[in-house]
Amino acid sequence: MNVGDAAHRSGLPAKTIRYYEEIGLIRPRRAGNGYRDYTGEDIHRLAFLRRARNLGFSIDDCRQLMALYQDRSRASHDVREIAAAHVTAIEEKVRELQSMRATLQKLIHACHGDDRPDCPILDDIAGGTEDGDKGASAAV
């Protein structure tokens, strides 16, 4: 089947499928005319990749997971290790997002939201430079 059919069956855009081929995640056969010729097995791999990406795994993680999936002599602890590391990264991201939310909520609460020009939200953002030089970016 061609890339359009593979896209439809796998639920991935054709552009993504071409990218996955470009970086070596999949390797469809080539027909005599040079066109890609996707098999049912290719579609299964693409669906696997779609699901892994939807779970937030990186391309490198997907590469490792795909290799482990295809290795029938794999050790499940290798797969578990990748998944556990991903959960740890997700938990860290959740903490970062919660911190951002808390900061923004405080700033929103401090902002009068009226016609006055003073704005604690902008003041905080402007003061967020590494050297602590408030107002330095305003001159740029």
Side-chain angles (χ1 to χ4, degrees):
M1 73 189 79
N2 65 28
V3 71
D5 293 334
H8 178 73
R9 290 184 184 194
S10 69
L12 289 170
K15 186 175 182 176
T16 300
I17 294 172
R18 289 186 192 102
Y19 173 69
Y20 287 170
E21 180 184 4
E22 182 181 316
I23 63 171
L25 279 176
I26 60 164
R27 290 188 176 85
R29 295 185 312 217
R30 293 285 180 159
N33 59 7
Y35 291 146
R36 295 168 184 89
D37 185 21
Y38 296 91
T39 64
E41 194 172 306
D42 292 324
I43 301 306
H44 185 74
R45 284 189 196 105
L46 289 168
F48 178 96
L49 291 168
R50 179 179 48 83
R51 177 71 175 141
R53 294 293 287 154
N54 285 343
L55 288 171
F57 285 103
S58 69
I59 293 292
D60 286 337
D61 287 343
C62 287
R63 188 179 309 281
Q64 291 177 45
L65 290 168
M66 179 67 74
L68 288 166
Y69 179 70
Q70 293 173 333
D71 179 4
R72 301 310 296 169
S73 64
R74 68 182 169 261
S76 65
H77 68 83
D78 293 336
V79 179
R80 186 171 199 236
E81 193 174 288
I82 294 167
H86 186 54
V87 167
T88 300
I90 289 170
E91 289 168 344
E92 178 59 29
K93 186 66 174 177
V94 167
R95 282 189 293 277
E96 290 171 9
L97 290 170
Q98 287 172 334
S99 175
M100 282 189 260
R101 181 183 62 199
T103 299
L104 286 170
Q105 286 174 330
K106 287 177 188 175
L107 292 171
I108 290 166
H109 182 71
C111 181
H112 295 288
D114 56 18
D115 292 335
R116 293 183 289 178
D118 60 314
C119 179
I121 299 168
L122 293 176
D123 291 344
D124 184 82
I125 294 170
T129 60
E130 287 183 31
D131 62 6
D133 184 16
K134 293 184 180 187
S137 61
V140 176

